[in-house]
Amino acid sequence: MKHFIYIVFSLMMIGGLFAGCSNDETDTPELTEDEYPRIFGQWPEKKADGTLGEFSTPQDKPLEIRVQYTPSRCCEGIWYVDGVEVHRGIGYTYVPTTQGKFNIKLVVKTPKYETVREAIISVVEPTS
């Protein structure tokens, strides 16, 4: 009986420790339009000589570029190919029609700031 009381008392102490450690409040930062927008996702790095990095795709295969940006509810992403707006949204699928090199630019804007990513799309011979 004496051991039973110690076991129950020990379990109550352990349970109290776990209950005391719980915290229902989460310290999540609130991102607002006062923050610079950030772009997350795979994007080609600039080359050693400072020229733009390259995406490469065969002419018969679309290139899907998927990114995310924050603060998402305050941002708008605008995609340009060779200076012409082609899409608004988080991702973009480039469907090549001819071989060559094309400039792609993503501009992510909040009401106050903007962040830009640029690269070259290199369209090569079809795979078939």
Side-chain angles (χ1 to χ4, degrees):
M1 182 70 170
K2 190 176 185 182
H3 294 292
F4 179 74
I5 292 174
Y6 287 124
I7 292 171
V8 170
F9 181 70
S10 297
L11 289 174
M12 287 175 45
M13 297 248 330
I14 291 171
L17 286 173
F18 285 118
C21 292
S22 69
N23 185 357
D24 291 339
E25 295 180 24
T26 305
D27 228 3
T28 305
E30 183 68 27
L31 298 174
T32 67
E33 64 185 33
D34 294 326
E35 303 288 330
Y36 276 92
R38 287 171 271 176
I39 301 171
F40 302 99
Q42 190 170 0
W43 199 267
E45 295 288 325
K46 285 187 176 182
K47 296 179 182 176
D49 64 0
T51 59
L52 296 176
E54 286 189 18
F55 290 105
S56 183
T57 189
Q59 186 177 346
D60 60 346
K61 184 175 181 184
L63 172 66
E64 290 187 36
I65 304 171
R66 299 284 172 232
V67 295
Q68 294 180 339
Y69 38 82
T70 63
S72 59
R73 70 175 183 274
C74 302
C75 287
E76 178 178 37
I78 305 168
W79 297 82
Y80 298 88
V81 173
D82 288 340
V84 177
E85 182 180 326
V86 292
H87 180 68
R88 288 178 182 246
I90 293 176
Y92 176 63
T93 301
Y94 178 76
V95 180
T97 56
T98 60
Q99 295 177 28
K101 293 188 182 262
F102 307 91
N103 180 278
I104 185 161
K105 180 193 279 189
L106 169 61
V107 179
V108 177
K109 295 181 180 183
T110 65
K112 293 184 178 182
Y113 304 106
E114 74 178 34
T115 299
V116 176
R117 295 285 182 273
E118 278 190 88
I120 299 296
I121 297 176
S122 179
V123 180
V124 297
E125 292 183 16
T127 56
S128 0

